[in-house]
Amino acid sequence: MYAILTDDPGLARAGSGDRTYYFVESVDGTTNEPLEGAVASVACWGDTATVEADPERAAVSADGTRATPDSEGHQWGTVCPTDPDYRTDLLERLEELEGDVRLTTLGFPGESFCYCDRCDRQFEDSGYDDRTAWRSAVITEFVADTATRVDGELTATLYPDPYPGHLQERAGIDVRALAAHVDGFLVPLCSPGYETTYWVESLARGFVAELEGLGVDLSIQLSAAEIEPERLAEITRKLEEHADEIVYGTSPDDADTARETIDRLREKSEVPA
Ligand SMILES: [Zn+2]
């Protein structure tokens, strides 16, 4: 299956793939009206606008660093995942959506987050000895609550690190626990132009191993920027045996590339008469 991911409503409506992912909530805090039939892509705790309006809501590390776009290693602001009002509002917005939903910026924004007073208190009261296990429980519980509110398929985006245990340490993402609540995982392996590609296949294979036996789909997201359609098709062919779906991140500038790539792939896969 081939899909496109875009924040452009015109491209989303054109529907050049089998499925369209459309940004309904982005990490900068902007929102778009959902489009019927498109997978609604929703940034969970990545929300620069909220963090800028109220910096106290940003997740904070043990050394006091706030997860804001101007902190090193952060490209956007991240709200603390135990912020109760934010969680409630987010779940309400997810419940209002119709059809399929993809969650992005799921989890804590790094290994050293979050050490706000509320997180410290909740961890102490949780009965967990291990903070990593407690963080995973927080995220898993949120995804479980989301799953009961979403009527279509639920897809969770994963940071592209398939090494066992890394996602849990980094973000509080326990893939095995989440698999019970989602239909699939989406892994962005994006690099404009793809000068080298060995890492794309290595990471895809790593996720195949990580997800084996869990009964969930694997979608791989590729970038359609600064690349010729034939080369993007070539990369796709190498990945197809590992993934259930290839998603092309697309803007109006490279919409033709994504469309042509999908056309080429479909032509080749048709059995000659
Ligand atoms: Zn916190």
Side-chain angles (χ1 to χ4, degrees):
M1 269 218 326
Y2 308 114
I4 66 156
L5 161 72
T6 186
D7 63 359
D8 184 272
L11 284 184
R13 284 196 195 93
S16 17
D18 302 304
R19 210 148 79 123
T20 298
Y21 290 79
Y22 182 62
F23 284 101
V24 168
E25 296 196 28
S26 300
V27 289
D28 60 2
T30 56
T31 58
N32 291 316
E33 277 298 307
L35 284 182
E36 205 188 325
V39 185
S41 179
V42 176
C44 293
W45 291 290
D47 185 343
T48 300
T50 294
V51 162
E52 276 176 353
D54 190 355
E56 293 280 301
R57 296 185 90 171
V60 63
S61 70
D63 71 4
T65 304
R66 291 268 171 199
T68 59
D70 48 3
S71 294
E72 200 183 320
H74 296 265
Q75 289 162 295
W76 53 79
T78 303
V79 176
C80 166
T82 66
D83 185 321
D85 296 338
Y86 192 85
R87 189 184 192 277
T88 302
D89 291 350
L90 181 55
L91 284 171
E92 267 174 24
R93 298 198 300 277
L94 287 163
E95 185 159 23
E96 278 168 20
L97 295 170
E98 281 172 20
D100 300 345
V101 171
R102 170 210 182 188
L103 304 175
T104 73
T105 61
L106 197 55
F108 290 81
E111 233 176 299
S112 53
F113 292 85
C114 175
Y115 283 82
C116 71
D117 293 345
R118 184 182 50 243
C119 281
D120 282 348
R121 206 168 50 240
Q122 288 194 10
F123 170 56
E124 261 171 47
D125 298 344
S126 70
Y128 282 95
D129 297 329
D130 175 30
R131 195 138 180 158
T132 303
W134 168 74
R135 295 195 324 156
S136 300
V138 169
I139 303 306
T140 301
E141 201 180 302
F142 170 78
V143 174
D145 285 351
T146 302
T148 63
R149 288 163 171 81
V150 167
D151 51 16
E153 283 187 13
L154 182 61
T155 301
T157 306
L158 299 178
Y159 184 85
D161 185 347
Y163 289 95
H166 279 198
L167 283 171
Q168 209 168 348
E169 284 161 25
R170 173 185 285 273
I173 299 271
D174 178 345
V175 170
R176 290 189 169 267
L178 291 190
H181 306 291
V182 302
D183 300 284
F185 291 105
L186 187 149
V187 181
L189 298 177
C190 300
S191 171
Y194 292 97
E195 263 190 47
T196 61
T197 55
Y198 63 90
W199 57 275
V200 180
E201 204 186 341
S202 303
L203 290 173
R205 291 173 71 119
F207 276 102
V208 170
E210 183 74 358
L211 302 182
E212 201 184 342
L214 297 182
V216 288
D217 286 344
L218 172 61
S219 299
I220 303 277
Q221 183 187 327
L222 299 175
S223 167
E226 298 168 35
I227 191 164
E228 292 298 320
E230 186 47 43
R231 183 155 156 73
L232 191 52
E234 200 182 296
I235 297 168
T236 304
R237 285 184 204 109
K238 281 188 192 152
L239 293 176
E240 274 183 310
E241 59 178 295
H242 308 301
D244 300 285
E245 180 183 63
I246 305 292
V247 184
Y248 301 102
T250 313
S251 70
D253 288 346
D254 47 44
D256 290 346
T257 306
R259 194 166 39 238
E260 261 185 60
T261 303
I262 293 171
D263 286 348
R264 276 165 196 248
L265 289 160
R266 282 178 173 159
E267 269 168 35
K268 284 266 169 79
S269 64
E270 275 167 23
V271 182

